Amino acid sequence: MKAKSNMRKNWWKYVVAVCVTAVYLLPIYVVAVTSLKPVTDHTSRLLPPAELYWENYRKVFQHSHIINAMKNSLIITAGTVFVVVITGCLAAYPMARNKNRLSKAVKIFVLGVMMVPGMSMVVGIYSTLVSIRAVNTYWGITAVGAALGLPVAIYMYANFITAIPVSLDEAAYMDGAGNLRTFFSVILPQLKPVTASVVLMQAITSWNEYGYSLYVLQKKEMYNVTLTVKQFFGEQMTDLNGAAACAVVAIVPVILIYLFLQKYFVQGAMDSAVKG
């Protein structure tokens, strides 16, 4: 009875939630519907197709470089996530355990870096990449993605580690474990929820990255999925249905990753926010 009473009082919140969800899902729905219609179908984009038309997807896999682009995106995303997770948690551990002025200054610096728009540094970053011959390389775009993703990862890890009792570290030291052994044997296993959040956030960001990829990945064989979708739209403007199919193919992996990690993502994000 109490639950029903609360639902009646907060009915407007459910209405707002439904409206916001509809706004976010509408573009995806339109793209999916368009990809399943032939070019000759001039009905409203909001109406479902009378008959599923899979020819658009066949054209995408036969006449575009989407497979190679997905391979490139997978390599870049995996490399970026690995660097962010390993470097982020190792950097956050001493920051969370040492309560001194230096740790506070570093944390403030990390927060300040989070406020800086990534594309505002594109000139300096691109010049550096050119000078070290990192343009059109996996490690070049991976380094950029990791550098941009590390501040958020360090902040989340530091907040989470702060709530872990220091007594666990002290017990490990009494058993003869050093700092690294304590971290990998005692602290790291407890970071699964926040690690899932960092992995999901960074994976989606890397997979959808476009701004820096446009400058760093200049050769067609190095294009990621976003550049391939953009190229498809540019070259096939008379075939928006095929371009929509290309976009759907690029979206599917991100949705699958989110569905697989959503439970851990919500838990880790909430824990990091509350414990911070």
Side-chain angles (χ1 to χ4, degrees), residues 46-170:
L46 298 177
L47 294 177
E51 184 178 349
L52 298 182
Y53 185 77
W54 298 104
E55 185 68 16
N56 294 321
Y57 289 92
R58 188 185 66 81
K59 288 189 294 184
V60 166
F61 286 103
Q62 286 188 349
H63 303 294
S64 72
H65 302 283
I66 191 66
I67 299 297
N68 183 66
M70 293 180 74
K71 181 203 72 174
N72 292 336
S73 288
L74 182 61
I75 294 173
I76 295 167
T77 299
T80 303
V81 169
F82 178 80
V83 173
V84 168
V85 169
I86 297 299
T87 308
C89 61
L90 286 174
Y93 180 52
M95 186 188 305
R97 285 296 186 248
N98 299 319
K99 304 295 183 180
N100 51 39
R101 291 184 178 180
L102 178 60
S103 295
K104 292 181 179 179
V106 173
K107 193 170 185 178
I108 292 173
F109 174 76
V110 170
L111 287 172
V113 172
M114 289 169 57
M115 302 299 110
V116 178
M119 291 305 297
S120 65
M121 302 177 285
V122 64
V123 175
I125 291 176
Y126 180 74
S127 299
T128 302
L129 293 177
V130 170
S131 63
I132 61 177
R133 298 182 180 179
V135 177
N136 290 315
T137 63
Y138 290 127
W139 69 269
I141 191 65
T142 298
V144 173
L148 296 176
L150 269 174
V152 176
I154 293 173
Y155 181 74
M156 293 180 66
Y157 274 120
N159 286 345
F160 198 93
I161 294 173
T162 300
I164 299 175
V166 182
S167 58
L168 295 177
D169 302 56
E170 295 172 348

Side-chain angles (χ1 to χ4, degrees), residues 22 39 85 142 225 229 271:
V39 179
V85 169
T142 298
V225 290
V229 171
D271 288 345

Side-chain angles (χ1 to χ4, degrees), residues 240-255:
L240 292 179
N241 301 69
C246 185
V248 170
V249 172
I251 292 171
V252 168
V254 176
I255 296 177

